[in-house]
Amino acid sequence: MMTTEAGPRIAILGGGIGGLAAAAFLRDKGFHNDVYEQAPALTEVGAGLVIAPNAARLLRRLGVLDRFVERAVQMEIGWEFRRWENGTVLSAENLQDGCKRLYGEHTYAAHRADLLNALRSAVPEDSLHLGRRCVSVEFEGDQAVLRFEDGETVRPDILIGADGVHSRVRSAIVGPTQARESGICAFRALVPARKAPEFARRRAQTLWIGPDHHLVHYPVSGGEYVNLVAFAPAGASSVESWTATATLEELLDEFDGWDPRLVELIRSADTPGRWALLDREPLDHWNRGNATLLGDAAHPMFPFFAQGAAQAIEDGAVLALCLAEDPKSPSAALGRYEELRRRRTARLQEVSHGRSHINHLPDGPEQQARDLAYSQADALRANGWIYEYDPEVAVSASV
């Protein structure tokens, strides 16, 4: 594989969280790269996300954590599970003390745009190419070839597919992948803090769980808003899109009969978005020739462990580290990256999938056993806390 004197020519397709994280970590290791994004401006649709210690450590290492926390909200309480009908607290974690002591960093909640802006601050403007819609990704032997709507063709030394759940790069690497309907749809909305009840303005990540449904809320945007994400049985109109919308009445209907305090919070929300959660099996390989995948293009996962963005950030850090260790053999570096990342992300895909059943149990013996386990189990393991050390998958501890 040919490289320039300055190193391999790296193209990143997709300027979302994963693409910008990869660009920033590669730059930190001395690699120039070009990010191609089809949108005319880098704006992040969606609403809130949780940045756990494994991702926050990497943001600090990248030098952008201080910028991020200007608008992020440090969580004091996390995984606060409440019963659907009356708000009884089943279990909660003290994140204020536990995270820093156990994992070296805090947990934050933020609007997606604030994370995107922090990552962008570490990427030179001349590396960003906006309004560049890729219409095909093909291989000429082991060489990935990008063709854009404006007629330009790009043949990079390394191609990184960070182009999301409908990734063209993934299709070129592994062929068409079939998504299955999960039977679950998600609603997302923001509530101005001035309209939100006091319990929702706390620095807490709260999950209300009940039959076939659950709802998560936490403050974002420096406390100006409360982010809501609700999960319910999917209807025929649900699609896999960040831009589809529902009506507030539809969201309220899903939580009819739940604790009146939660209903009051929902009633104060803006127009909710709604999208279907599609289920995809973990891939058995990510690489082909000089191309690889990261983030949702490689391992789309249900949001029930709040690790989608964190795993994309880890991908970018590990990929940059592998290329820095073996810059003259990009193919070997990509192989090492896949070896390090695929098992960890597959595990998280699987446990995130299983969480939907646990959260949505109907009232009855199984639900009662779950609630009793929440109240009695050791604090950090009661909620399936995923940041425990596992030497086989804890790659983030070393990047």
Side-chain angles (χ1 to χ4, degrees):
M1 180 178 298
M2 297 296 293
T3 62
T4 66
E5 290 184 4
R9 297 167 298 174
I10 302 173
I12 300 171
L13 190 61
I17 290 170
L20 289 187
F25 281 111
L26 286 165
R27 179 177 181 270
D28 185 60
K29 294 297 184 182
F31 294 102
H32 175 77
N33 53 83
D34 291 291
V35 180
Y36 297 94
E37 166 57 42
Q38 66 179 352
L42 282 182
T43 57
E44 182 61 74
V45 296
L49 45 70
V50 173
I51 291 296
N54 58 323
R57 287 199 306 268
L58 294 176
L59 295 180
R60 185 179 294 281
R61 183 169 299 179
L62 195 57
V64 301
L65 185 64
D66 288 346
R67 183 183 180 113
F68 174 66
V69 301
E70 289 174 2
R71 295 283 289 167
V73 179
Q74 183 181 316
M75 293 288 96
E76 297 175 355
I77 299 169
W79 305 104
E80 181 185 75
F81 286 87
R82 289 178 176 253
R83 180 162 168 75
W84 68 277
E85 62 181 349
N86 55 21
T88 299
V89 176
L90 305 173
S91 181
E93 306 293 353
N94 179 352
L95 301 186
Q96 180 71 24
D97 299 330
C99 282
K100 187 72 173 180
R101 175 172 53 84
L102 291 169
Y103 311 115
E105 193 49 79
H106 295 292
T107 293
Y108 301 91
H111 195 286
R112 297 179 72 89
D114 295 327
L115 175 59
L116 195 75
N117 289 337
L119 291 169
R120 182 175 183 170
S121 70
V123 179
E125 286 295 321
D126 63 2
S127 293
L128 301 176
H129 307 279
L130 306 180
R132 302 297 306 280
R133 182 172 179 270
C134 179
V135 295
S136 75
V137 179
E138 300 171 348
F139 279 87
E140 297 176 354
D142 287 336
Q143 171 70 60
V145 180
L146 301 174
R147 291 185 171 85
F148 291 89
E149 193 173 46
D150 61 6
E152 183 182 2
T153 297
V154 175
R155 290 177 168 83
D157 294 319
I158 298 172
L159 171 61
I160 300 168
D163 48 338
V165 294
H166 301 295
S167 170
R168 288 187 181 276
V169 183
R170 182 182 64 219
S171 295
I173 289 176
V174 303
T177 54
Q178 196 68 29
R180 299 190 306 267
E181 293 185 5
S182 69
I184 301 171
C185 73
F187 297 82
R188 54 177 171 79
L190 292 170
V191 177
R194 67 182 184 280
K195 296 182 179 180
E198 185 280 331
F199 75 87
R201 298 196 302 268
R202 296 173 305 139
R203 292 174 173 260
Q205 174 210 18
T206 300
L207 301 90
W208 298 71
I209 56 177
D212 297 322
H213 296 72
H214 80 278
L215 185 147
V216 185
H217 60 76
Y218 45 79
V220 296
S221 301
E224 293 179 18
Y225 292 93
V226 175
N227 181 67
L228 303 184
V229 185
F231 301 92
S237 61
S238 300
V239 296
E240 191 183 39
S241 169
W242 281 99
T243 57
T245 60
T247 67
L248 188 57
E249 288 70 26
E250 287 174 306
L251 179 53
L252 285 166
D253 285 346
E254 293 290 350
F255 292 88
D256 183 39
W258 286 50
D259 188 303
R261 294 172 295 175
L262 183 63
V263 173
E264 177 189 357
L265 175 63
I266 296 172
R267 199 178 301 279
S268 301
D270 60 12
T271 300
R274 176 175 58 192
W275 73 102
L277 298 186
L278 299 186
D279 195 12
R280 290 180 172 86
E281 293 293 331
L283 297 175
D284 59 11
H285 68 282
W286 294 0
N287 297 344
R288 177 181 173 183
N290 66 334
T292 192
L293 302 170
L294 64 73
D296 285 347
H299 44 73
M301 60 186 65
F302 286 178
F304 303 143
F305 266 120
Q307 276 289 298
Q311 291 307 303
I313 293 169
E314 284 191 10
D315 286 347
V318 174
L319 178 56
L321 193 64
C322 290
L323 286 169
E325 289 178 346
D326 200 358
K328 295 184 179 181
S329 302
S331 295
L334 296 186
R336 177 60 174 157
Y337 158 70
E338 180 186 324
E339 178 186 359
L340 287 170
R341 294 297 299 154
R342 192 159 55 83
R343 183 172 181 176
R344 173 171 172 80
T345 56
R347 172 176 176 250
L348 289 170
Q349 282 181 277
E350 291 164 358
V351 297
S352 296
H353 178 276
R355 191 80 225 175
S356 61
H357 170 72
I358 296 171
N359 285 348
H360 294 178
L361 290 173
D363 284 352
E366 195 175 0
Q367 162 263 321
Q368 292 168 8
R370 175 201 66 193
D371 293 356
L372 183 62
Y374 278 161
S375 65
Q376 292 183 344
D378 175 72
L380 282 176
R381 297 184 184 271
N383 303 331
W385 188 267
I386 65 173
Y387 308 114
E388 67 225 32
Y389 179 71
D390 181 338
E392 294 185 343
V393 298
V395 175
S396 64
S398 62
V399 299

